[in-house]
Amino acid sequence: MTNIQSEILSKEILMLLEGNYPSLEINFDLEDYNKPYPCGHSILRIEGTFINSDSIIQLLKSKGIECGILEDKICN
């Protein structure tokens, strides 16, 4: 999950990730932002045979993006 709210920023981050991790399938699902992060968030989906989530999280954090692994959690 990330705190990315705009489609423009999601496309920029998508290009960055695809450039750094060309073997992965990556996409965003922008969610409703009526709630504060992390309950209001966007979903960054990544598929591949080997995913270094720590590396991806660090790359996004270096760009000022809040990012974390989505846990099973019910937000009210």
Side-chain angles (χ1 to χ4, degrees):
M1 72 182 151
T2 75
N3 66 337
I4 294 174
Q5 297 182 13
S6 77
E7 190 171 339
I8 293 170
L9 182 56
S10 72
K11 288 180 181 179
E12 290 175 15
I13 295 300
L14 188 60
M15 288 175 46
L16 172 70
L17 291 172
E18 289 173 340
N20 283 280
Y21 307 97
S23 65
L24 300 176
E25 293 289 325
I26 305 169
N27 65 59
F28 273 100
D29 182 9
L30 300 177
E31 296 287 321
D32 187 299
Y33 279 91
N34 293 330
K35 298 177 183 176
Y37 177 86
C39 291
H41 59 269
S42 56
I43 303 295
L44 171 61
R45 288 189 190 89
I46 302 175
E47 295 181 39
T49 54
F50 177 75
I51 301 170
N52 184 338
S53 56
D54 290 334
S55 173
I56 293 168
I57 290 170
Q58 285 305 112
L59 177 61
L60 293 177
K61 286 185 177 183
S62 76
K63 300 297 181 185
I65 304 297
E66 291 183 50
C67 180
I69 295 174
L70 186 62
E71 300 175 19
D72 266 342
K73 178 179 173 183
I74 297 174
C75 293
N76 295 320

